Each structure stands twice: as structure tokens, then as C-alpha cells.
Amino acid sequence: MKPSIFYRIAAVLLLLLDVGHTAGFPWSDPAWGVDLTSMRSTHFDILGFSRTYWDFYLGFGLFDSVFLLLGVVLAWQLGSLPAETLARMRATAWVFALCFAAITVVSYRYLFIIPIVFSIVITLCLTAAAWLSAKQVSMPPSR
């Protein structure tokens, strides 16, 4: 298989994960017993700004959505590169895969089944793509 297929699969999965994450706003359910009122009303000063726990909660949730979208674009772009260019970007490909391996560990430790499964499959796709792109360049071109 070609690395581009794995990058495109990863891009689609990242997009689905991003849409699911963003659509889950406000990322809590009243049935969980989370007191969002206290999160919104507890103010503190940080580096000259008055913020609440809700500001941090909302900000980092949206931060995640934006970075997942960056992952979509990066995976899609890597999937459209020729083998020679991917060979030059080997470090980027492996760092992307390792980043998602770390996200998989974080998901397993702190989240639930949906982001865990998505993270595992995305990590496998990115790892396969990085490995295949390195292998593809090391083989002599077929004629």
C-alpha cells in the first residue's frame, strides 16, 4: 500500500474526531453532576487577566478542536506529496506519528472509548504511512 492512502485515512479520521469533539460542546452532561455554574463564577487573576475555570475549560476545548483541524490538513497534505518529498520530510512524518502515539496514551489515561479508538487507529495509520514512505524511497524505482 502507498503512504498516501494511510495519510488520507488518518485525515478523514482526524476530521471525524474533530467534528465529534467540537459538536460535544460544552463537553459535559448535566447528568454527570458537573457544576458548570461554579466553573463560570469562580474568577481569578492570571498575568493581568481575570479568568474563570470555564474560560480555561472552553479555551482548551476549542484549542483542541483547532489543533485537530491542523492535523487534518497536515495528514491530507502529506498524503499528496511525492515519495521523494516524503523522504525529505521523514522527521515530520515520524514526529506526527509519535505525537499521536502520545495522544493515544493521554486518551487512554484520561478519556473514554471513542477518542481512545480514534487515537489508536490514527496512530497506526500515521505510523504505517511514515514507515512506508521511508521504505518506498529506499527501494529502487520499478520500471
Side-chain angles (χ1 to χ4, degrees):
M1 287 184 77
K2 293 183 177 184
S4 61
I5 293 169
F6 286 107
Y7 280 124
R8 295 292 164 90
I9 292 169
V12 170
L13 291 173
L14 280 160
L15 181 61
L16 292 172
L17 184 60
D18 188 31
V19 167
H21 170 76
T22 306
F25 175 80
W27 307 294
S28 66
D29 185 330
W32 299 343
V34 177
D35 184 8
L36 297 180
T37 305
S38 66
M39 286 179 69
R40 288 181 174 126
S41 63
T42 305
H43 287 263
F44 52 92
D45 290 324
I46 183 161
L47 299 175
F49 290 87
S50 176
R51 294 290 184 242
T52 64
Y53 284 107
W54 176 256
D55 293 332
F56 274 81
Y57 181 74
L58 179 62
F60 279 111
L62 294 172
F63 192 92
D64 292 345
S65 293
V66 170
F67 266 106
L68 285 170
L69 191 56
L70 172 65
V72 171
V73 173
L74 179 59
W76 195 264
Q77 290 296 317
L78 287 171
S80 66
L81 295 175
E84 300 79 30
T85 306
L86 274 176
R88 287 188 213 125
M89 297 190 65
R90 201 171 325 199
T92 301
W94 281 109
V95 167
F96 195 21
L98 289 172
C99 175
F100 250 87
I103 288 170
T104 300
V105 171
V106 170
S107 295
Y108 181 77
R109 174 66 175 94
Y110 296 105
L111 300 176
F112 52 98
I113 193 68
I114 295 170
I116 293 169
V117 170
F118 268 85
S119 298
I120 289 169
V121 177
I122 292 166
T123 299
L124 292 174
C125 286
L126 294 175
T127 302
W131 184 75
L132 286 172
S133 63
K135 184 178 177 183
Q136 189 176 46
V137 171
S138 64
M139 296 184 333
S142 59
R143 296 185 191 222

PDB file of all heavy atoms in Angstrom, residues 1-7 9-10 86 93-94 97-98 120-136:
ATOM      1  N   MET A   1       0.833  -1.191   0.000  1.00  0.00           N
ATOM      2  CA  MET A   1       0.000   0.000   0.000  1.00  0.00           C
ATOM      3  C   MET A   1       0.873   1.247   0.000  1.00  0.00           C
ATOM      4  O   MET A   1       1.990   1.232   0.486  1.00  0.00           O
ATOM      5  CB  MET A   1      -0.912   0.009   1.229  1.00  0.00           C
ATOM      6  CG  MET A   1      -2.043  -0.990   1.162  1.00  0.00           C
ATOM      7  SD  MET A   1      -3.169  -0.876   2.575  1.00  0.00           S
ATOM      8  CE  MET A   1      -4.117   0.558   2.133  1.00  0.00           C
ATOM      9  N   LYS A   2       0.297   2.303  -0.501  1.00  0.00           N
ATOM     10  CA  LYS A   2       1.026   3.572  -0.568  1.00  0.00           C
ATOM     11  C   LYS A   2       0.804   4.383   0.714  1.00  0.00           C
ATOM     12  O   LYS A   2      -0.264   4.322   1.311  1.00  0.00           O
ATOM     13  CB  LYS A   2       0.537   4.383  -1.759  1.00  0.00           C
ATOM     14  CG  LYS A   2       0.887   3.774  -3.087  1.00  0.00           C
ATOM     15  CD  LYS A   2       0.434   4.688  -4.197  1.00  0.00           C
ATOM     16  CE  LYS A   2       0.844   4.103  -5.537  1.00  0.00           C
ATOM     17  NZ  LYS A   2       0.493   5.029  -6.626  1.00  0.00           N
ATOM     18  N   PRO A   3       1.816   5.168   1.113  1.00  0.00           N
ATOM     19  CA  PRO A   3       1.659   6.026   2.295  1.00  0.00           C
ATOM     20  C   PRO A   3       0.485   6.986   2.157  1.00  0.00           C
ATOM     21  O   PRO A   3      -0.186   7.296   3.146  1.00  0.00           O
ATOM     22  CB  PRO A   3       2.976   6.796   2.366  1.00  0.00           C
ATOM     23  CG  PRO A   3       3.933   6.058   1.510  1.00  0.00           C
ATOM     24  CD  PRO A   3       3.148   5.275   0.519  1.00  0.00           C
ATOM     25  N   SER A   4       0.212   7.433   0.941  1.00  0.00           N
ATOM     26  CA  SER A   4      -0.857   8.409   0.740  1.00  0.00           C
ATOM     27  C   SER A   4      -2.212   7.881   1.204  1.00  0.00           C
ATOM     28  O   SER A   4      -3.022   8.636   1.744  1.00  0.00           O
ATOM     29  CB  SER A   4      -0.931   8.837  -0.724  1.00  0.00           C
ATOM     30  OG  SER A   4      -1.211   7.728  -1.555  1.00  0.00           O
ATOM     31  N   ILE A   5      -2.439   6.598   1.033  1.00  0.00           N
ATOM     32  CA  ILE A   5      -3.713   6.005   1.470  1.00  0.00           C
ATOM     33  C   ILE A   5      -3.842   6.113   2.990  1.00  0.00           C
ATOM     34  O   ILE A   5      -4.894   6.502   3.504  1.00  0.00           O
ATOM     35  CB  ILE A   5      -3.826   4.537   1.001  1.00  0.00           C
ATOM     36  CG1 ILE A   5      -3.924   4.498  -0.519  1.00  0.00           C
ATOM     37  CG2 ILE A   5      -5.011   3.838   1.654  1.00  0.00           C
ATOM     38  CD1 ILE A   5      -3.785   3.121  -1.123  1.00  0.00           C
ATOM     39  N   PHE A   6      -2.769   5.791   3.708  1.00  0.00           N
ATOM     40  CA  PHE A   6      -2.804   5.874   5.173  1.00  0.00           C
ATOM     41  C   PHE A   6      -2.941   7.321   5.652  1.00  0.00           C
ATOM     42  O   PHE A   6      -3.643   7.591   6.628  1.00  0.00           O
ATOM     43  CB  PHE A   6      -1.562   5.217   5.783  1.00  0.00           C
ATOM     44  CG  PHE A   6      -1.603   3.727   5.718  1.00  0.00           C
ATOM     45  CD1 PHE A   6      -0.798   3.025   4.838  1.00  0.00           C
ATOM     46  CD2 PHE A   6      -2.460   3.005   6.540  1.00  0.00           C
ATOM     47  CE1 PHE A   6      -0.839   1.648   4.773  1.00  0.00           C
ATOM     48  CE2 PHE A   6      -2.509   1.619   6.484  1.00  0.00           C
ATOM     49  CZ  PHE A   6      -1.696   0.943   5.594  1.00  0.00           C
ATOM     50  N   TYR A   7      -2.268   8.253   4.953  1.00  0.00           N
ATOM     51  CA  TYR A   7      -2.416   9.661   5.330  1.00  0.00           C
ATOM     52  C   TYR A   7      -3.841  10.149   5.090  1.00  0.00           C
ATOM     53  O   TYR A   7      -4.394  10.889   5.906  1.00  0.00           O
ATOM     54  CB  TYR A   7      -1.428  10.551   4.572  1.00  0.00           C
ATOM     55  CG  TYR A   7      -0.040  10.529   5.160  1.00  0.00           C
ATOM     56  CD1 TYR A   7       1.060  10.186   4.395  1.00  0.00           C
ATOM     57  CD2 TYR A   7       0.178  10.863   6.493  1.00  0.00           C
ATOM     58  CE1 TYR A   7       2.339  10.170   4.926  1.00  0.00           C
ATOM     59  CE2 TYR A   7       1.447  10.844   7.043  1.00  0.00           C
ATOM     60  CZ  TYR A   7       2.519  10.490   6.255  1.00  0.00           C
ATOM     61  OH  TYR A   7       3.782  10.469   6.800  1.00  0.00           O
ATOM     62  N   ILE A   9      -6.596   8.291   5.061  1.00  0.00           N
ATOM     63  CA  ILE A   9      -7.454   7.664   6.083  1.00  0.00           C
ATOM     64  C   ILE A   9      -7.309   8.414   7.405  1.00  0.00           C
ATOM     65  O   ILE A   9      -8.296   8.730   8.076  1.00  0.00           O
ATOM     66  CB  ILE A   9      -7.118   6.169   6.251  1.00  0.00           C
ATOM     67  CG1 ILE A   9      -7.504   5.378   5.003  1.00  0.00           C
ATOM     68  CG2 ILE A   9      -7.812   5.590   7.491  1.00  0.00           C
ATOM     69  CD1 ILE A   9      -6.965   3.951   4.974  1.00  0.00           C
ATOM     70  N   ALA A  10      -6.060   8.722   7.779  1.00  0.00           N
ATOM     71  CA  ALA A  10      -5.819   9.468   9.024  1.00  0.00           C
ATOM     72  C   ALA A  10      -6.496  10.837   8.970  1.00  0.00           C
ATOM     73  O   ALA A  10      -7.086  11.273   9.969  1.00  0.00           O
ATOM     74  CB  ALA A  10      -4.315   9.629   9.265  1.00  0.00           C
ATOM     75  N   LEU A  86       8.350  13.158   0.499  1.00  0.00           N
ATOM     76  CA  LEU A  86       8.092  12.499   1.787  1.00  0.00           C
ATOM     77  C   LEU A  86       9.382  12.007   2.422  1.00  0.00           C
ATOM     78  O   LEU A  86       9.536  12.051   3.644  1.00  0.00           O
ATOM     79  CB  LEU A  86       7.129  11.318   1.608  1.00  0.00           C
ATOM     80  CG  LEU A  86       5.651  11.640   1.643  1.00  0.00           C
ATOM     81  CD1 LEU A  86       4.833  10.388   1.357  1.00  0.00           C
ATOM     82  CD2 LEU A  86       5.242  12.255   2.955  1.00  0.00           C
ATOM     83  N   ALA A  93       7.097  13.327   9.408  1.00  0.00           N
ATOM     84  CA  ALA A  93       6.169  12.190   9.395  1.00  0.00           C
ATOM     85  C   ALA A  93       6.251  11.397  10.696  1.00  0.00           C
ATOM     86  O   ALA A  93       5.217  11.034  11.277  1.00  0.00           O
ATOM     87  CB  ALA A  93       6.471  11.289   8.197  1.00  0.00           C
ATOM     88  N   TRP A  94       7.471  11.149  11.176  1.00  0.00           N
ATOM     89  CA  TRP A  94       7.623  10.371  12.407  1.00  0.00           C
ATOM     90  C   TRP A  94       7.205  11.159  13.645  1.00  0.00           C
ATOM     91  O   TRP A  94       6.615  10.603  14.572  1.00  0.00           O
ATOM     92  CB  TRP A  94       9.051   9.837  12.549  1.00  0.00           C
ATOM     93  CG  TRP A  94       9.247   8.621  11.692  1.00  0.00           C
ATOM     94  CD1 TRP A  94       9.987   8.527  10.564  1.00  0.00           C
ATOM     95  CD2 TRP A  94       8.635   7.343  11.886  1.00  0.00           C
ATOM     96  NE1 TRP A  94       9.881   7.256  10.034  1.00  0.00           N
ATOM     97  CE2 TRP A  94       9.066   6.506  10.825  1.00  0.00           C
ATOM     98  CE3 TRP A  94       7.772   6.812  12.837  1.00  0.00           C
ATOM     99  CZ2 TRP A  94       8.666   5.181  10.704  1.00  0.00           C
ATOM    100  CZ3 TRP A  94       7.378   5.487  12.722  1.00  0.00           C
ATOM    101  CH2 TRP A  94       7.819   4.690  11.665  1.00  0.00           C
ATOM    102  N   ALA A  97       3.471  10.975  13.818  1.00  0.00           N
ATOM    103  CA  ALA A  97       3.055   9.664  14.332  1.00  0.00           C
ATOM    104  C   ALA A  97       3.308   9.557  15.836  1.00  0.00           C
ATOM    105  O   ALA A  97       2.446   9.065  16.588  1.00  0.00           O
ATOM    106  CB  ALA A  97       3.780   8.551  13.577  1.00  0.00           C
ATOM    107  N   LEU A  98       4.472  10.002  16.293  1.00  0.00           N
ATOM    108  CA  LEU A  98       4.791   9.940  17.726  1.00  0.00           C
ATOM    109  C   LEU A  98       3.889  10.860  18.545  1.00  0.00           C
ATOM    110  O   LEU A  98       3.506  10.518  19.670  1.00  0.00           O
ATOM    111  CB  LEU A  98       6.263  10.291  17.958  1.00  0.00           C
ATOM    112  CG  LEU A  98       7.257   9.234  17.481  1.00  0.00           C
ATOM    113  CD1 LEU A  98       8.683   9.774  17.580  1.00  0.00           C
ATOM    114  CD2 LEU A  98       7.104   7.950  18.278  1.00  0.00           C
ATOM    115  N   ILE A 120      -5.928   5.416  18.561  1.00  0.00           N
ATOM    116  CA  ILE A 120      -5.172   4.204  18.208  1.00  0.00           C
ATOM    117  C   ILE A 120      -5.117   4.030  16.695  1.00  0.00           C
ATOM    118  O   ILE A 120      -4.045   3.811  16.114  1.00  0.00           O
ATOM    119  CB  ILE A 120      -5.783   2.956  18.882  1.00  0.00           C
ATOM    120  CG1 ILE A 120      -5.531   2.981  20.387  1.00  0.00           C
ATOM    121  CG2 ILE A 120      -5.233   1.673  18.257  1.00  0.00           C
ATOM    122  CD1 ILE A 120      -6.310   1.936  21.168  1.00  0.00           C
ATOM    123  N   VAL A 121      -6.255   4.138  16.029  1.00  0.00           N
ATOM    124  CA  VAL A 121      -6.302   3.915  14.581  1.00  0.00           C
ATOM    125  C   VAL A 121      -5.535   5.009  13.842  1.00  0.00           C
ATOM    126  O   VAL A 121      -4.795   4.721  12.892  1.00  0.00           O
ATOM    127  CB  VAL A 121      -7.761   3.792  14.082  1.00  0.00           C
ATOM    128  CG1 VAL A 121      -7.804   3.635  12.571  1.00  0.00           C
ATOM    129  CG2 VAL A 121      -8.460   2.618  14.753  1.00  0.00           C
ATOM    130  N   ILE A 122      -5.667   6.255  14.277  1.00  0.00           N
ATOM    131  CA  ILE A 122      -4.915   7.351  13.654  1.00  0.00           C
ATOM    132  C   ILE A 122      -3.421   7.134  13.840  1.00  0.00           C
ATOM    133  O   ILE A 122      -2.633   7.296  12.899  1.00  0.00           O
ATOM    134  CB  ILE A 122      -5.359   8.719  14.211  1.00  0.00           C
ATOM    135  CG1 ILE A 122      -6.790   9.037  13.756  1.00  0.00           C
ATOM    136  CG2 ILE A 122      -4.393   9.824  13.781  1.00  0.00           C
ATOM    137  CD1 ILE A 122      -7.445  10.181  14.511  1.00  0.00           C
ATOM    138  N   THR A 123      -3.005   6.730  15.034  1.00  0.00           N
ATOM    139  CA  THR A 123      -1.589   6.444  15.291  1.00  0.00           C
ATOM    140  C   THR A 123      -1.083   5.330  14.383  1.00  0.00           C
ATOM    141  O   THR A 123       0.006   5.441  13.799  1.00  0.00           O
ATOM    142  CB  THR A 123      -1.362   6.058  16.766  1.00  0.00           C
ATOM    143  OG1 THR A 123      -1.749   7.159  17.594  1.00  0.00           O
ATOM    144  CG2 THR A 123       0.091   5.709  17.042  1.00  0.00           C
ATOM    145  N   LEU A 124      -1.867   4.276  14.225  1.00  0.00           N
ATOM    146  CA  LEU A 124      -1.469   3.169  13.338  1.00  0.00           C
ATOM    147  C   LEU A 124      -1.341   3.636  11.892  1.00  0.00           C
ATOM    148  O   LEU A 124      -0.386   3.268  11.197  1.00  0.00           O
ATOM    149  CB  LEU A 124      -2.455   2.012  13.455  1.00  0.00           C
ATOM    150  CG  LEU A 124      -2.467   1.279  14.796  1.00  0.00           C
ATOM    151  CD1 LEU A 124      -3.602   0.253  14.834  1.00  0.00           C
ATOM    152  CD2 LEU A 124      -1.125   0.599  15.048  1.00  0.00           C
ATOM    153  N   CYS A 125      -2.280   4.452  11.439  1.00  0.00           N
ATOM    154  CA  CYS A 125      -2.228   4.973  10.064  1.00  0.00           C
ATOM    155  C   CYS A 125      -1.002   5.855   9.859  1.00  0.00           C
ATOM    156  O   CYS A 125      -0.290   5.718   8.857  1.00  0.00           O
ATOM    157  CB  CYS A 125      -3.493   5.758   9.733  1.00  0.00           C
ATOM    158  SG  CYS A 125      -4.949   4.741   9.461  1.00  0.00           S
ATOM    159  N   LEU A 126      -0.751   6.762  10.786  1.00  0.00           N
ATOM    160  CA  LEU A 126       0.388   7.668  10.658  1.00  0.00           C
ATOM    161  C   LEU A 126       1.712   6.911  10.739  1.00  0.00           C
ATOM    162  O   LEU A 126       2.665   7.230  10.018  1.00  0.00           O
ATOM    163  CB  LEU A 126       0.320   8.768  11.713  1.00  0.00           C
ATOM    164  CG  LEU A 126      -0.839   9.753  11.575  1.00  0.00           C
ATOM    165  CD1 LEU A 126      -0.851  10.722  12.759  1.00  0.00           C
ATOM    166  CD2 LEU A 126      -0.791  10.495  10.255  1.00  0.00           C
ATOM    167  N   THR A 127       1.766   5.907  11.601  1.00  0.00           N
ATOM    168  CA  THR A 127       2.984   5.093  11.713  1.00  0.00           C
ATOM    169  C   THR A 127       3.220   4.297  10.441  1.00  0.00           C
ATOM    170  O   THR A 127       4.342   4.242   9.924  1.00  0.00           O
ATOM    171  CB  THR A 127       2.887   4.161  12.941  1.00  0.00           C
ATOM    172  OG1 THR A 127       2.697   4.964  14.109  1.00  0.00           O
ATOM    173  CG2 THR A 127       4.136   3.312  13.089  1.00  0.00           C
ATOM    174  N   ALA A 128       2.162   3.681   9.919  1.00  0.00           N
ATOM    175  CA  ALA A 128       2.282   2.919   8.670  1.00  0.00           C
ATOM    176  C   ALA A 128       2.709   3.826   7.522  1.00  0.00           C
ATOM    177  O   ALA A 128       3.576   3.457   6.719  1.00  0.00           O
ATOM    178  CB  ALA A 128       0.957   2.231   8.344  1.00  0.00           C
ATOM    179  N   ALA A 129       2.129   5.017   7.451  1.00  0.00           N
ATOM    180  CA  ALA A 129       2.485   5.945   6.381  1.00  0.00           C
ATOM    181  C   ALA A 129       3.938   6.384   6.490  1.00  0.00           C
ATOM    182  O   ALA A 129       4.660   6.425   5.485  1.00  0.00           O
ATOM    183  CB  ALA A 129       1.554   7.159   6.416  1.00  0.00           C
ATOM    184  N   ALA A 130       4.391   6.700   7.697  1.00  0.00           N
ATOM    185  CA  ALA A 130       5.784   7.118   7.890  1.00  0.00           C
ATOM    186  C   ALA A 130       6.733   5.969   7.547  1.00  0.00           C
ATOM    187  O   ALA A 130       7.747   6.167   6.867  1.00  0.00           O
ATOM    188  CB  ALA A 130       6.008   7.587   9.323  1.00  0.00           C
ATOM    189  N   TRP A 131       6.400   4.784   7.977  1.00  0.00           N
ATOM    190  CA  TRP A 131       7.247   3.612   7.702  1.00  0.00           C
ATOM    191  C   TRP A 131       7.276   3.303   6.210  1.00  0.00           C
ATOM    192  O   TRP A 131       8.344   3.074   5.646  1.00  0.00           O
ATOM    193  CB  TRP A 131       6.731   2.420   8.509  1.00  0.00           C
ATOM    194  CG  TRP A 131       7.590   1.211   8.372  1.00  0.00           C
ATOM    195  CD1 TRP A 131       8.810   0.986   8.934  1.00  0.00           C
ATOM    196  CD2 TRP A 131       7.298   0.037   7.605  1.00  0.00           C
ATOM    197  NE1 TRP A 131       9.292  -0.247   8.579  1.00  0.00           N
ATOM    198  CE2 TRP A 131       8.370  -0.851   7.756  1.00  0.00           C
ATOM    199  CE3 TRP A 131       6.225  -0.342   6.814  1.00  0.00           C
ATOM    200  CZ2 TRP A 131       8.408  -2.092   7.129  1.00  0.00           C
ATOM    201  CZ3 TRP A 131       6.263  -1.566   6.199  1.00  0.00           C
ATOM    202  CH2 TRP A 131       7.348  -2.436   6.354  1.00  0.00           C
ATOM    203  N   LEU A 132       6.117   3.305   5.565  1.00  0.00           N
ATOM    204  CA  LEU A 132       6.052   3.010   4.133  1.00  0.00           C
ATOM    205  C   LEU A 132       6.743   4.076   3.289  1.00  0.00           C
ATOM    206  O   LEU A 132       7.367   3.749   2.272  1.00  0.00           O
ATOM    207  CB  LEU A 132       4.601   2.861   3.677  1.00  0.00           C
ATOM    208  CG  LEU A 132       3.904   1.578   4.089  1.00  0.00           C
ATOM    209  CD1 LEU A 132       2.420   1.639   3.738  1.00  0.00           C
ATOM    210  CD2 LEU A 132       4.565   0.368   3.434  1.00  0.00           C
ATOM    211  N   SER A 133       6.637   5.321   3.700  1.00  0.00           N
ATOM    212  CA  SER A 133       7.291   6.370   2.909  1.00  0.00           C
ATOM    213  C   SER A 133       8.804   6.237   2.986  1.00  0.00           C
ATOM    214  O   SER A 133       9.499   6.466   2.001  1.00  0.00           O
ATOM    215  CB  SER A 133       6.844   7.762   3.343  1.00  0.00           C
ATOM    216  OG  SER A 133       7.211   8.031   4.665  1.00  0.00           O
ATOM    217  N   ALA A 134       9.323   5.812   4.127  1.00  0.00           N
ATOM    218  CA  ALA A 134      10.771   5.582   4.252  1.00  0.00           C
ATOM    219  C   ALA A 134      11.171   4.349   3.472  1.00  0.00           C
ATOM    220  O   ALA A 134      12.198   4.344   2.789  1.00  0.00           O
ATOM    221  CB  ALA A 134      11.148   5.430   5.716  1.00  0.00           C
ATOM    222  N   LYS A 135      10.373   3.312   3.532  1.00  0.00           N
ATOM    223  CA  LYS A 135      10.663   2.056   2.826  1.00  0.00           C
ATOM    224  C   LYS A 135      10.568   2.236   1.318  1.00  0.00           C
ATOM    225  O   LYS A 135      11.383   1.712   0.579  1.00  0.00           O
ATOM    226  CB  LYS A 135       9.683   0.986   3.290  1.00  0.00           C
ATOM    227  CG  LYS A 135       9.922  -0.379   2.734  1.00  0.00           C
ATOM    228  CD  LYS A 135       8.926  -1.368   3.301  1.00  0.00           C
ATOM    229  CE  LYS A 135       9.143  -2.723   2.664  1.00  0.00           C
ATOM    230  NZ  LYS A 135       8.177  -3.690   3.112  1.00  0.00           N
ATOM    231  N   GLN A 136       9.591   3.012   0.887  1.00  0.00           N
ATOM    232  CA  GLN A 136       9.359   3.224  -0.527  1.00  0.00           C
ATOM    233  C   GLN A 136      10.553   3.914  -1.190  1.00  0.00           C
ATOM    234  O   GLN A 136      10.931   3.572  -2.293  1.00  0.00           O
ATOM    235  CB  GLN A 136       8.103   4.080  -0.702  1.00  0.00           C
ATOM    236  CG  GLN A 136       7.595   4.217  -2.106  1.00  0.00           C
ATOM    237  CD  GLN A 136       6.299   4.991  -2.127  1.00  0.00           C
ATOM    238  OE1 GLN A 136       6.183   6.025  -1.475  1.00  0.00           O
ATOM    239  NE2 GLN A 136       5.346   4.511  -2.881  1.00  0.00           N
TER     240      GLN A 136
END
